[in-house]
């Protein structure tokens, strides 16, 4: 009977020693080493020699030696081994060494000791704490229904969940038909959720964006042309012969063969032959000239004649095109307005004709953002595309598309107007048609050349004006 009592005391002391070991694990390492030095084990001294022995088998052997009830948790590896050789060491100390070297711990449940890994024990304690907390809070959740007037219930739900405004136990459901939020959460958090929703569910101001596209074209042309001819004859009919047998008569004239035959400009003496009347020495007129000045000089007998014709042209044209697209949208909501035409384009592939459409239109696409300083940040896309049928190829009647485009982001005050883009082009040309060498004669060189000057100016300006309407 005394031996039985002694054995029970030994087991009790062994269990107490193992519990003391688990409590010491949460302390710093120097404190744990000191505690280990002062610890006393009271189990029966035993000799052990384990070489690659299965960990679970070793634990069962020690439990049988100490006479304790042992449960090995499934988290303990089944293939773990033990390499150990000790002489006259208390069995409870042997078990303590094996548990610590194998990263194991234990917990006591009455007369039963359960061995498990430290991670498994931590997970169990955390799961138990979470379950207890959820059980305590489950019965205290409150349900509220909030109808939204200006915001989307789905978007607000996403924000509440992403920003973690709802607690872990809370839920948010949406009724799309009525735009209602159904919120179930802790009563202490419901008030905060309602304040957040009240701030979100407010009408946003609207912004009217007006764009003005001004395009001006100005072209000028100046041209000066000259035509002159001479005709000199020596003929017995005129009474002015050379006095020689040969040549006794002759004609000196200047003439040019035109597209519609000879240009008959010169003396009109009826005694002159048609060739003699052809007397255009310099033929450099201005096509389409609407003003001209001519001078004709000649001898009374028709022996010599000279004609001069000056033609001049001056043209000036101005074109002004103004387009004003306007669109209204809410804050942070993209808007677009388009006006124009779609040009069909045929594509033939594998004997199949496919028709696609290309936009040739005025398009304004903008997304405004109103700031707290009553200014507007705008992301703007503006395109002005017009078909150009002057460049059309008869074989493929698809016009080219003249395009002006501006893509930018600007910050403007309410009601202000600014230029977001501008293009200025200037084309100057000078052309001369002249007679070689003779156009260099001082003072008289202008009789042997014609000049044409052209100037084409084009300017494009794009204005933008935002107006906030509360």
């Amino acid at each position: 009977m005394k031996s039985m009592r002694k054995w029970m005391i030994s087991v009790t002391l062994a269990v107490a020693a193992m519990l003391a070991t688990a409590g010491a694990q949460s302390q710093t390492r120097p404190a744990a080493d000191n505690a280990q030095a002062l610890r006393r084990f009271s189990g029966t001294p035993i000799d052990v020699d384990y070489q690659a022995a299965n960990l679970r088998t070793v634990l069962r052997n020690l439990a049988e030696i100490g006479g304790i009830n042992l449960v090995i948790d499934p988290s303990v590896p089944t293939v773990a081994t033990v390499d150990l050789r000790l002489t006259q060491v208390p069995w409870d100390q042997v078990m303590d060494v094996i548990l610590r070297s194998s990263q194991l711990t234990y917990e006591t449940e009455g007369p039963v000791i359960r061995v498990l890994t430290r991670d498994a024990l931590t997970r169990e304690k955390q799961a138990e704490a979470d379950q207890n907390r959820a059980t305590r809070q489950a019965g205290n959740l409150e349900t509220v229904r909030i109808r939204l007037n200006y915001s989307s219930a789905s978007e607000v739900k996403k924000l509440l969940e992403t920003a973690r405004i709802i607690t872990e136990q809370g839920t948010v459901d949406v009724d799309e038909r009525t735009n209602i939020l159904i919120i179930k959460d802790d009563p202490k958090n419901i008030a905060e959720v309602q304040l957040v929703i009240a701030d979100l569910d407010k009408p946003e101001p609207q912004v009217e964006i007006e764009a003005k596209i001004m395009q001006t074209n100005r072209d000028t042309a100046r041209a000066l042309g000259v035509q002159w001819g001479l005709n000199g004859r020596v003929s017995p009919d005129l009474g002015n012969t050379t006095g020689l047998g040969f040549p006794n008569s002759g004609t000196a004239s200047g003439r040019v063969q035109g597209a519609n035959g000879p240009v008959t400009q010169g003396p009109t003496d009826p005694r002159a032959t048609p060739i003699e009347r052809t007397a255009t020495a310099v033929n450099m007129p201005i096509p389409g000239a609407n003003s001209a000045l001519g001078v004709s000089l000649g001898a009374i007998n028709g022996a010599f004649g000279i004609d001069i014709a000056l033609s001049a042209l001056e043209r000036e044209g101005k074109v002004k095109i103004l387009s004003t697209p306007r669109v209204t949208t809410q804050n942070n909501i993209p808007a677009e307005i388009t006006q124009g035409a779609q040009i069909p384009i045929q594509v033939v592939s594998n004997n199949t004709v496919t028709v696609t459409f290309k936009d040739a239109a005025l398009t304004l696409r903008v997304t405004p953002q109103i700031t707290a300083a009553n200014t507007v940040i705008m992301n703007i896309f503006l395109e002005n595309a017009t078909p150009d049928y002057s460049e059309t190829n008869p074989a493929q009647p698809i016009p080219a598309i003249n395009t002006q485009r501006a893509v930018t982001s600007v910050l403007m005050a309410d009601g202000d107007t600014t230029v977001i883009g501008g293009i200025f082009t200037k084309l100057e040309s000078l052309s001369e048609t002249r007679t070689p060498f003779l156009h260099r004669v001082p003072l008289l060189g202008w009789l042997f050349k014609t000049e044409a000057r052209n100037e084409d100016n084009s300017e494009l300006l794009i204005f933008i004006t935002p107006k906030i309407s509360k």
Side-chain angles (χ1 to χ4, degrees):
M1 189 66 177
K2 290 181 180 181
S3 61
M4 186 64 176
R5 182 179 301 174
K6 184 177 181 180
W7 178 81
M8 290 296 295
I9 293 174
S10 177
V11 171
T12 303
L13 292 175
V15 172
M18 295 177 69
L19 291 175
T21 301
Q25 293 174 358
S26 62
Q27 300 176 358
T28 60
R29 189 169 188 83
D33 294 341
N34 295 336
Q36 179 65 24
L38 298 175
R39 185 182 304 165
R40 295 293 181 268
F41 294 94
S42 58
T44 303
I46 59 174
D47 296 336
V48 293
D49 186 4
Y50 297 116
Q51 184 176 2
N54 184 269
L55 174 61
R56 288 173 170 261
T57 302
V58 171
L59 293 176
R60 292 175 61 88
N61 290 337
L62 292 176
E64 184 177 355
I65 293 173
I68 60 174
N69 298 320
L70 181 68
V71 176
I72 301 178
D73 190 79
S75 62
V76 177
T78 58
V79 295
T81 59
V82 175
D83 286 279
L84 187 66
R85 185 179 184 281
L86 298 173
T87 303
Q88 292 300 303
V89 177
W91 70 267
D92 49 353
Q93 185 177 1
V94 174
M95 178 174 284
D96 180 73
V97 170
I98 293 175
L99 293 179
R100 287 191 292 111
S101 62
S102 301
Q103 301 297 317
L104 300 177
T105 186
Y106 64 90
E107 64 174 358
T108 303
E109 299 177 0
V112 178
I113 296 177
R114 187 165 69 99
V115 177
L116 69 167
T117 62
R118 297 174 182 176
D119 292 340
L121 181 61
T122 302
R123 288 194 299 269
E124 286 184 3
K125 297 299 183 182
Q126 183 63 40
E128 183 178 356
D130 294 343
Q131 181 64 34
N132 294 335
R133 184 170 59 255
T135 302
R136 290 193 304 269
Q137 295 179 354
N140 299 327
L141 296 181
E142 179 180 343
T143 302
V144 294
R145 293 176 294 276
I146 302 176
R147 181 188 293 271
L148 302 181
N149 298 316
Y150 306 102
S151 302
S152 169
S154 299
E155 295 296 328
V156 173
K157 173 189 176 182
K158 185 184 301 183
L159 178 61
L160 294 176
E161 294 175 345
T162 303
R164 298 182 181 179
I165 300 175
I166 299 295
T167 62
E168 296 180 358
Q169 294 75 30
T171 59
V172 181
D173 294 315
V174 174
D175 182 19
E176 298 287 352
R177 183 179 62 87
T178 58
N179 204 36
I180 289 180
L181 287 173
I182 304 174
I183 302 174
K184 181 181 292 186
D185 202 358
D186 192 311
K188 298 179 181 179
N189 195 49
I190 286 293
E192 178 67 20
V193 173
Q194 290 175 329
L195 289 177
V196 172
I197 295 176
D199 290 337
L200 297 175
D201 190 31
K202 291 182 178 179
E204 288 291 326
Q206 297 188 140
V207 183
E208 179 186 6
I209 299 97
E210 180 183 23
K212 290 184 179 180
I213 304 173
M214 296 183 61
Q215 184 173 1
T216 59
N217 293 320
R218 178 182 178 184
D219 65 283
T220 59
R222 293 182 179 88
L224 180 64
V226 61
Q227 291 174 287
W228 63 270
L230 59 85
N231 194 330
R233 292 186 294 152
V234 177
S235 173
D237 296 338
L238 302 177
N240 59 345
T241 63
T242 62
L244 301 175
F246 179 86
N248 182 262
S249 63
T251 300
S253 63
R255 55 183 177 271
V256 174
Q257 183 73 19
N260 296 323
V263 179
T264 58
Q265 179 179 357
T268 59
D269 186 354
R271 293 171 294 180
T273 63
I275 296 178
E276 292 172 338
R277 295 193 194 102
T278 305
T280 304
V282 176
N283 186 32
M284 299 178 184
I286 299 300
N290 50 18
S291 60
L293 176 65
V295 178
S296 181
L297 303 173
I300 191 170
N301 61 356
F304 184 79
I306 183 171
D307 289 345
I308 298 177
L310 298 177
S311 57
L313 171 67
E314 184 171 350
R315 185 183 68 251
E316 182 175 357
K318 295 181 179 180
V319 179
K320 182 178 181 180
I321 301 174
L322 177 62
S323 302
T324 309
R326 184 184 293 114
V327 66
T328 301
T329 182
Q330 286 188 344
N331 184 29
N332 289 316
I333 302 298
E336 178 179 342
I337 185 171
T338 302
Q339 185 272 328
Q342 287 188 325
I343 300 175
I345 300 175
Q346 292 186 355
V347 179
V348 180
S349 178
N350 297 327
N351 297 326
T352 302
V353 178
T354 304
V355 179
T356 59
F357 291 88
K358 174 66 177 178
D359 289 335
L362 174 62
T363 302
L364 173 62
R365 191 180 305 132
V366 61
T367 302
Q369 178 183 349
I370 303 174
T371 67
N374 205 36
T375 59
V376 183
I377 301 174
M378 293 180 293
N379 295 322
I380 303 170
F381 174 89
L382 192 146
E383 181 179 81
N384 184 25
T386 56
D388 185 2
Y389 292 96
S390 63
E391 304 272 340
T392 304
N393 184 358
Q396 188 177 7
I398 300 176
I401 298 179
N402 295 329
T403 303
Q404 298 92 31
R405 181 185 297 117
V407 181
T408 184
S409 178
V410 294
L411 171 64
M412 299 178 58
D414 180 22
D416 284 358
T417 301
T418 188
V419 178
I420 64 171
I423 301 174
F424 178 79
T425 59
K426 183 176 183 179
L427 175 63
E428 293 183 353
S429 63
L430 172 63
S431 62
E432 287 188 356
T433 304
R434 56 202 181 192
T435 303
F437 306 112
L438 296 180
H439 72 280
R440 295 193 178 97
V441 177
L443 299 180
L444 298 179
W446 63 274
L447 291 174
F448 299 94
K449 66 180 179 180
T450 180
E451 289 185 355
R453 294 177 180 270
N454 292 277
E455 183 177 323
D456 190 358
N457 297 327
S458 176
E459 186 173 11
L460 173 70
L461 293 175
I462 302 175
F463 299 86
I464 199 78
T465 303
K467 297 179 182 179
I468 301 175
S469 56
K470 302 294 183 179

